[in-house]
Amino acid sequence: MPAPERIPTERVTAPLELLARGELTVRGQVREASNAVLFCSVSHAGEEAHCVYKPVAGERPLWDFPDGNLARREVAAYEISEALGWHLVPPTVLRDGPYGEGMVQLWIEADPSVTLLALVDGEEPEEGWKAVGPAELGEGRTALLVHADDARLRRLAVLDAVINNGDRKGGHLLPASGGRLYGIDHGVTFHVDDKLRTLLWGWAGEPLPAEAPAALAGLSAALADGGPLGERLAGLLTPAEVGAVRERVRALRAAGTHPEPSGEWPAIPWPPV
């Protein structure tokens, strides 16, 4: 897909209203995606922005997730990110579009000058980087896969642990203008079984960041029965999945550390980017 003419999303004053009520116009398709991902413009009440529209009709069935609800999981990931107060997921809504119900998410223009992942020689990362593990380069060559020791990434690792993200790849990390970082593509999340697969294992077993306990406590309170967040999640996930979110938050608060690979599920997604 050709690079879009940029619409400055940071100037959108009410992104959720724009995404939910605006007129969607399909401009192109992100063809490298495994499911249907349509690049659109959305306009409402004098505002306009670019967005991504993923219709449920374009979702490929997965053996371990129910058919036709990946879009809802993307919206649920946004809800959890907002409840944590970290705003790591772009504004996301569930609505009807040109090809039926789907997820609509504000388009984020990534800053290509920011490097968050790298392949390096040697067995240990340099200062400012965390090791993920060895990577096969072909012809018997290996390198060390590392990610930046970045506070924004660390928050994202906590979010992924809460939502049980089964597919945190490098291409799902979007450094944006103003020093912001966003994570995208959260369809493979919220399973009741441990499915955590990520490139952000550099902090495994280490204490959670200083701001995490308060954020998790706030999230736990918001998830209480009868609360607005619990009610919104009930429309997006099964009761068992909502219960599993509560349990993962409880476990993280009790442990006080980043989770480690379980050994029962591939720890790193493939392909990693």
Side-chain angles (χ1 to χ4, degrees):
M1 185 185 72
E5 179 184 353
R6 187 171 184 272
I7 298 175
T9 56
E10 64 271 15
R11 297 181 187 173
V12 177
T13 57
L16 289 181
E17 180 179 4
L18 175 62
L19 295 173
R21 301 181 60 185
E23 180 181 357
L24 281 176
T25 303
V26 177
R27 303 294 186 185
Q29 182 175 3
V30 181
R31 298 192 177 276
E32 59 268 25
S34 56
N35 297 302
V37 179
L38 302 177
F39 174 72
C40 300
S41 61
V42 59
S43 57
H44 174 70
E47 290 196 305
E48 184 177 12
H50 286 140
C51 62
V52 170
Y53 165 47
K54 297 182 181 180
V56 171
E59 295 179 4
R60 293 169 55 186
L62 299 173
W63 69 269
D64 51 349
F65 283 81
D67 293 347
N69 72 0
L70 301 187
R72 285 175 168 78
R73 296 171 191 275
E74 297 234 33
V75 178
Y78 169 73
E79 293 283 358
I80 295 293
S81 172
E82 291 300 289
L84 283 167
W86 291 343
H87 315 298
L88 294 167
V89 179
T92 311
V93 302
L94 188 73
R95 58 163 288 179
D96 284 332
Y99 299 100
E101 184 181 72
M103 179 279 281
V104 177
Q105 184 176 82
L106 195 67
W107 176 271
I108 301 298
E109 197 70 38
D111 183 350
S113 68
V114 178
T115 301
L116 298 173
L117 296 164
L119 289 169
V120 299
D121 295 326
E123 298 181 355
E124 296 292 334
E126 295 182 357
E127 185 177 356
W129 295 87
K130 304 290 284 188
V132 180
E136 298 290 337
L137 302 182
E139 300 180 354
R141 298 182 301 123
T142 62
L144 183 65
L145 178 62
V146 299
H147 65 67
D149 189 3
D150 185 301
R152 302 167 302 171
L153 281 183
R154 195 164 190 173
R155 286 181 172 184
L156 195 59
V158 175
L159 172 65
D160 284 344
V162 170
I163 67 176
N164 198 15
N165 192 349
D167 196 33
R168 175 61 73 202
K169 298 177 179 177
H172 301 167
L173 306 173
L174 299 182
S177 61
R180 294 292 303 273
L181 175 72
Y182 293 96
I184 60 170
D185 284 354
H186 296 112
V188 188
T189 50
F190 294 103
H191 203 286
V192 295
D193 297 330
D194 182 7
K195 297 280 188 179
L196 187 59
R197 290 198 305 175
T198 176
L199 292 180
L200 303 180
W201 287 117
W203 299 285
E206 295 185 13
L208 295 173
E211 67 270 27
L216 290 170
L219 175 59
S220 180
L223 286 167
D225 287 334
L229 177 60
E231 291 183 0
R232 291 196 295 273
L233 291 181
L236 301 167
L237 306 170
T238 68
E241 289 166 343
V242 175
V245 175
R246 295 189 178 109
E247 174 56 26
R248 286 192 294 272
V249 172
R250 185 206 64 77
L252 278 171
R253 295 179 68 194
T257 58
H258 288 273
E260 300 182 73
S262 67
E264 299 178 357
W265 181 255
I268 296 177
W270 188 261
V273 297

